[in-house]
Amino acid sequence: GQQLNQSPQSMFIQEGEDVSMNCTSSSIFNTWLWYKQDPGEGPVLLIALYKAGELTSNGRLTAQFGITRKDSFLNISASIPSDVGIYFCAGRLGSWGKLQFGAGTQVVVTP
Amino acid sequence: GAGVSQSPRYKVAKRGQDVALRCDPISGHVSLFWYQQALGQGPEFLTYFQNEAQLDKSGLPSDRFFAERPEGSVSTLKIQRTQQEDSAVYLCASSPEDSGGAARKFFGPGTRLTVL
């Protein structure tokens, strides 16, 4: 089946630093999405990407849909303490909006 | 509130018991999904409803898992004869769109099921 690899698994950064994480897939996705999950909560959508090569920003977040449609990255600029959490990439499978998720990147921000 | 709600938030079951997990989607949302999230992993798709029709149940792990959405709003995920490997967080998500647009979805807080 399709494999979706997300890296890094975790990262410890200082407040103010930039963060970068990425996902790669063995197959093509039609849509890439990035979610953030806080403890005890469900994932919250950050950015959705629909076209190969698309670059989209949401505040301090920037994400890109890779040209090959098999990868995507998420950057967080000037991190702040509330950026702490687990970030998931997800690719859309098929016609119904079914998503395949990566294993997540845990971000810890230290003052 | 206006978000997706799930109940109970926590459920402890003895192995072999049946459980029922409830999802109240955002009012008017056409699409409803169930995902299973094991500890330290990303969510994994279980099943999808478009209104009351269950269009995809390919992710249900076994015939012990059953989901319904009889009136196209509230949904229930039932697990019969629970096993320890069923321990996970069960997430419900809804979307106002159908088809591929349902990739944009809103998740509930999940039900954490622990099977002893």
Side-chain angles (χ1 to χ4, degrees), chain B residues 68-116:
Chain B
E68 60 183 6
R69 193 186 186 198
E71 297 179 357
S73 55
V74 172
S75 177
T76 304
L77 177 66
K78 298 179 180 178
I79 309 174
Q80 297 178 321
R81 304 181 303 281
T82 52
Q83 304 294 315
Q84 285 187 320
E85 61 263 29
D86 299 335
S87 296
V89 174
Y90 290 85
L91 294 164
C92 176
S94 70
S95 172
E97 302 182 54
D98 57 13
S99 304
R104 293 182 61 98
K105 60 193 73 173
F106 300 85
F107 282 87
T111 294
R112 180 176 295 278
L113 172 66
T114 303
V115 182
L116 302 177

Side-chain angles (χ1 to χ4, degrees), chain B residues 61-72:
Chain B
S62 74
D63 58 8
R64 296 186 296 104
F65 286 71
F66 172 77
E68 60 183 6
R69 193 186 186 198
E71 297 179 357

Side-chain angles (χ1 to χ4, degrees), chain A residues 49-72:
Chain A
L49 303 157
Y50 300 102
K51 295 182 189 176
E54 180 180 353
L55 184 71
T56 297
S57 293
N58 177 10
R60 293 179 296 105
L61 307 177
T62 301
Q64 184 159 30
F65 192 144
I67 292 290
T68 64
R69 295 167 64 192
K70 293 184 179 182
D71 64 309
S72 177

Side-chain angles (χ1 to χ4, degrees), chain A residues 2 4 25 27-32 65 69 91-93 100:
Chain A
Q2 290 181 307
L4 205 163
S25 169
S27 301
I28 289 171
F29 285 115
N30 294 320
T31 305
W32 281 96
F65 192 144
R69 295 167 64 192
R92 178 170 70 86
L93 299 166
Q100 181 175 8

Side-chain angles (χ1 to χ4, degrees), chain A residues 33-37 43-47 74 86-90 99 101, chain B residues 103-107:
Chain A
L33 305 100
W34 286 91
Y35 283 86
K36 179 176 183 262
Q37 187 173 29
V44 174
L45 180 64
L46 299 174
I47 292 180
L74 175 71
I86 302 178
Y87 292 78
F88 291 98
C89 62
L99 299 180
F101 283 81
Chain B
R104 293 182 61 98
K105 60 193 73 173
F106 300 85
F107 282 87

Side-chain angles (χ1 to χ4, degrees), chain A residues 6-24:
Chain A
Q6 184 170 352
S7 64
Q9 190 174 29
S10 61
M11 47 198 323
F12 295 79
I13 59 172
Q14 284 198 318
E15 186 174 353
E17 287 185 345
D18 296 345
V19 175
S20 184
M21 62 194 78
N22 68 84
C23 273
T24 58

